[in-house]
Amino acid sequence: MNRRDSLKALGFTTLSAGLLLEACKTDTKKGAEETTTAAAGDEVGRQPFEVERDKKLHADKFFTTAEMATITVLADIIIPKDDKSGSASDAKVPDFIEFIVKDMPDHQTPMRGGLRWLDLQCLNRFGKPFTDCTKDQQIQLVDMIAYPNKAKPEMAQGVAFFNRMRDLTASGFFTSEMGVKDVGFAGNQPGKWTGVPEDILKHYGMENVKASASM
């Protein structure tokens, strides 16, 4: 599964605007946490209680070590490393997901339940948990739940889980510095007036009229 196939599967343009907005806010919060040692009240534009809340969220731990290992493998299946940029785990997406489920608790039960479902499926099929399976076995199971229109009815729980995991992975990656560079987003750029296009001037019979240089 290469990067282009992964991005097609992501359906990135259908991601929840609310989740992306929260992701952007979270990315900004995490950047502030990592780049300053100032006192809570010294952080520009933020209330002390906001800073303390984020510190607590970072300090708390929701996922177990085993669950984080599964999340890391899944995230890298969804967005693997290629010659353009690193993988989801290179962009710290697992850490992002850990933070998001604490910041948005509605994700906690579906994510934990989905991770357990994944391990049970692997135990029944391959006799070992997801992270201990071979790459081919992992992809085999992922393919059963990554495409909702093709998935069997009995895989519905897995499909719902993978949809959520995919959305969180995409949100975390494409709001990271690495992800922004990956899509080539340069932010808002000032426009530059170069005059009326030649074909427009010709259309109106004004090809001999020079546009003013001072607009």
Side-chain angles (χ1 to χ4, degrees), residues 74-120:
L74 276 175
D76 283 348
I77 288 174
I78 293 168
I79 301 184
K81 182 177 181 178
D82 64 9
D83 56 2
K84 187 176 181 181
S85 67
S87 66
S89 62
D90 291 329
K92 309 296 185 186
V93 169
D95 292 339
F96 167 87
I97 294 175
E98 164 74 14
F99 184 90
I100 281 292
V101 300
K102 293 180 294 189
D103 192 39
M104 303 171 69
D106 286 350
H107 288 297
Q108 292 181 3
T109 298
M111 282 295 291
R112 175 153 283 161
L115 291 169
R116 289 178 179 172
W117 180 92
L118 199 69
D119 274 343
L120 284 173

Side-chain angles (χ1 to χ4, degrees), residues 46-156:
R46 305 190 65 210
Q47 295 296 318
F49 75 87
E50 294 178 305
V51 178
E52 289 304 316
R53 177 180 179 275
D54 286 350
K55 285 182 177 179
K56 184 178 185 304
L57 288 176
H58 281 291
D60 291 343
K61 185 174 177 63
F62 176 73
F63 290 117
T64 66
T65 300
E67 287 170 337
M68 284 298 288
T70 302
I71 286 171
T72 300
V73 173
L74 276 175
D76 283 348
I77 288 174
I78 293 168
I79 301 184
K81 182 177 181 178
D82 64 9
D83 56 2
K84 187 176 181 181
S85 67
S87 66
S89 62
D90 291 329
K92 309 296 185 186
V93 169
D95 292 339
F96 167 87
I97 294 175
E98 164 74 14
F99 184 90
I100 281 292
V101 300
K102 293 180 294 189
D103 192 39
M104 303 171 69
D106 286 350
H107 288 297
Q108 292 181 3
T109 298
M111 282 295 291
R112 175 153 283 161
L115 291 169
R116 289 178 179 172
W117 180 92
L118 199 69
D119 274 343
L120 284 173
Q121 288 292 319
C122 287
L123 285 168
N124 290 334
R125 295 170 186 274
F126 312 119
K128 46 194 170 184
F130 183 78
T131 52
D132 290 342
C133 290
T134 66
K135 187 71 173 180
D136 286 345
Q137 290 170 336
Q138 291 170 348
I139 296 299
Q140 180 182 332
L141 183 57
V142 167
D143 281 347
M144 294 179 185
I145 58 178
Y147 308 99
N149 292 335
K150 297 180 180 180
K152 295 179 180 179
E154 60 268 25
M155 305 299 280

